[in-house]
PDB file of all heavy atoms in Angstrom:
ATOM      1  N   SER A  71      33.460 259.529 163.717  1.00  0.00           N
ATOM      2  CA  SER A  71      33.380 260.295 162.463  1.00  0.00           C
ATOM      3  C   SER A  71      32.344 259.700 161.520  1.00  0.00           C
ATOM      4  O   SER A  71      31.953 260.328 160.554  1.00  0.00           O
ATOM      5  CB  SER A  71      34.746 260.329 161.777  1.00  0.00           C
ATOM      6  OG  SER A  71      35.134 259.015 161.468  1.00  0.00           O
ATOM      7  N   MET A  72      31.920 258.486 161.754  1.00  0.00           N
ATOM      8  CA  MET A  72      30.917 257.866 160.893  1.00  0.00           C
ATOM      9  C   MET A  72      29.562 257.802 161.578  1.00  0.00           C
ATOM     10  O   MET A  72      28.707 257.016 161.195  1.00  0.00           O
ATOM     11  CB  MET A  72      31.381 256.459 160.476  1.00  0.00           C
ATOM     12  CG  MET A  72      32.580 256.497 159.560  1.00  0.00           C
ATOM     13  SD  MET A  72      32.298 257.594 158.145  1.00  0.00           S
ATOM     14  CE  MET A  72      32.593 256.451 156.819  1.00  0.00           C
ATOM     15  N   GLN A  73      29.380 258.620 162.599  1.00  0.00           N
ATOM     16  CA  GLN A  73      28.085 258.647 163.289  1.00  0.00           C
ATOM     17  C   GLN A  73      27.511 260.063 163.200  1.00  0.00           C
ATOM     18  O   GLN A  73      28.184 261.037 163.511  1.00  0.00           O
ATOM     19  CB  GLN A  73      28.265 258.244 164.745  1.00  0.00           C
ATOM     20  CG  GLN A  73      28.892 256.864 164.856  1.00  0.00           C
ATOM     21  CD  GLN A  73      28.672 256.230 166.210  1.00  0.00           C
ATOM     22  OE1 GLN A  73      27.670 256.459 166.846  1.00  0.00           O
ATOM     23  NE2 GLN A  73      29.620 255.431 166.644  1.00  0.00           N
ATOM     24  N   TYR A  74      26.284 260.158 162.752  1.00  0.00           N
ATOM     25  CA  TYR A  74      25.651 261.469 162.525  1.00  0.00           C
ATOM     26  C   TYR A  74      24.269 261.510 163.143  1.00  0.00           C
ATOM     27  O   TYR A  74      23.597 260.485 163.280  1.00  0.00           O
ATOM     28  CB  TYR A  74      25.522 261.734 161.012  1.00  0.00           C
ATOM     29  CG  TYR A  74      26.868 261.960 160.348  1.00  0.00           C
ATOM     30  CD1 TYR A  74      27.626 260.887 159.888  1.00  0.00           C
ATOM     31  CD2 TYR A  74      27.378 263.247 160.223  1.00  0.00           C
ATOM     32  CE1 TYR A  74      28.864 261.085 159.310  1.00  0.00           C
ATOM     33  CE2 TYR A  74      28.625 263.466 159.643  1.00  0.00           C
ATOM     34  CZ  TYR A  74      29.361 262.378 159.193  1.00  0.00           C
ATOM     35  OH  TYR A  74      30.594 262.588 158.624  1.00  0.00           O
ATOM     36  N   ASP A  75      23.841 262.747 163.465  1.00  0.00           N
ATOM     37  CA  ASP A  75      22.451 262.913 163.881  1.00  0.00           C
ATOM     38  C   ASP A  75      21.538 262.681 162.677  1.00  0.00           C
ATOM     39  O   ASP A  75      20.512 262.038 162.792  1.00  0.00           O
ATOM     40  CB  ASP A  75      22.220 264.326 164.430  1.00  0.00           C
ATOM     41  CG  ASP A  75      23.000 264.573 165.713  1.00  0.00           C
ATOM     42  OD1 ASP A  75      23.081 263.627 166.521  1.00  0.00           O
ATOM     43  OD2 ASP A  75      23.524 265.687 165.885  1.00  0.00           O
ATOM     44  N   ALA A  76      21.951 263.248 161.548  1.00  0.00           N
ATOM     45  CA  ALA A  76      21.108 263.103 160.359  1.00  0.00           C
ATOM     46  C   ALA A  76      21.958 262.870 159.121  1.00  0.00           C
ATOM     47  O   ALA A  76      22.960 263.567 158.909  1.00  0.00           O
ATOM     48  CB  ALA A  76      20.266 264.362 160.151  1.00  0.00           C
ATOM     49  N   VAL A  77      21.563 261.875 158.333  1.00  0.00           N
ATOM     50  CA  VAL A  77      22.161 261.702 157.002  1.00  0.00           C
ATOM     51  C   VAL A  77      21.079 262.016 155.982  1.00  0.00           C
ATOM     52  O   VAL A  77      19.941 261.550 156.093  1.00  0.00           O
ATOM     53  CB  VAL A  77      22.716 260.274 156.796  1.00  0.00           C
ATOM     54  CG1 VAL A  77      23.086 260.048 155.324  1.00  0.00           C
ATOM     55  CG2 VAL A  77      23.933 260.039 157.675  1.00  0.00           C
ATOM     56  N   ILE A  78      21.451 262.833 155.012  1.00  0.00           N
ATOM     57  CA  ILE A  78      20.504 263.233 153.972  1.00  0.00           C
ATOM     58  C   ILE A  78      20.988 262.649 152.653  1.00  0.00           C
ATOM     59  O   ILE A  78      22.151 262.865 152.265  1.00  0.00           O
ATOM     60  CB  ILE A  78      20.419 264.775 153.902  1.00  0.00           C
ATOM     61  CG1 ILE A  78      19.845 265.287 155.225  1.00  0.00           C
ATOM     62  CG2 ILE A  78      19.556 265.226 152.717  1.00  0.00           C
ATOM     63  CD1 ILE A  78      19.972 266.769 155.454  1.00  0.00           C
ATOM     64  N   ILE A  79      20.122 261.918 151.980  1.00  0.00           N
ATOM     65  CA  ILE A  79      20.512 261.344 150.692  1.00  0.00           C
ATOM     66  C   ILE A  79      20.017 262.288 149.616  1.00  0.00           C
ATOM     67  O   ILE A  79      18.812 262.424 149.398  1.00  0.00           O
ATOM     68  CB  ILE A  79      19.904 259.949 150.466  1.00  0.00           C
ATOM     69  CG1 ILE A  79      20.021 259.100 151.716  1.00  0.00           C
ATOM     70  CG2 ILE A  79      20.591 259.234 149.302  1.00  0.00           C
ATOM     71  CD1 ILE A  79      19.118 257.881 151.675  1.00  0.00           C
ATOM     72  N   GLY A  80      20.951 262.944 148.929  1.00  0.00           N
ATOM     73  CA  GLY A  80      20.605 263.881 147.857  1.00  0.00           C
ATOM     74  C   GLY A  80      21.051 265.295 148.169  1.00  0.00           C
ATOM     75  O   GLY A  80      20.508 265.938 149.061  1.00  0.00           O
ATOM     76  N   ALA A  81      22.067 265.757 147.425  1.00  0.00           N
ATOM     77  CA  ALA A  81      22.542 267.146 147.584  1.00  0.00           C
ATOM     78  C   ALA A  81      21.895 268.019 146.522  1.00  0.00           C
ATOM     79  O   ALA A  81      22.561 268.726 145.771  1.00  0.00           O
ATOM     80  CB  ALA A  81      24.074 267.194 147.485  1.00  0.00           C
ATOM     81  N   GLY A  82      20.560 267.919 146.460  1.00  0.00           N
ATOM     82  CA  GLY A  82      19.796 268.781 145.559  1.00  0.00           C
ATOM     83  C   GLY A  82      19.092 269.851 146.376  1.00  0.00           C
ATOM     84  O   GLY A  82      19.486 270.143 147.524  1.00  0.00           O
ATOM     85  N   ALA A  83      18.049 270.419 145.805  1.00  0.00           N
ATOM     86  CA  ALA A  83      17.395 271.570 146.427  1.00  0.00           C
ATOM     87  C   ALA A  83      16.846 271.247 147.822  1.00  0.00           C
ATOM     88  O   ALA A  83      17.155 271.937 148.799  1.00  0.00           O
ATOM     89  CB  ALA A  83      16.263 272.050 145.511  1.00  0.00           C
TER      90      ALA A  83
END
Side-chain angles (χ1 to χ4, degrees):
S71 61
M72 292 308 236
Q73 302 199 32
Y74 291 86
D75 295 322
V77 169
I78 296 167
I79 316 164

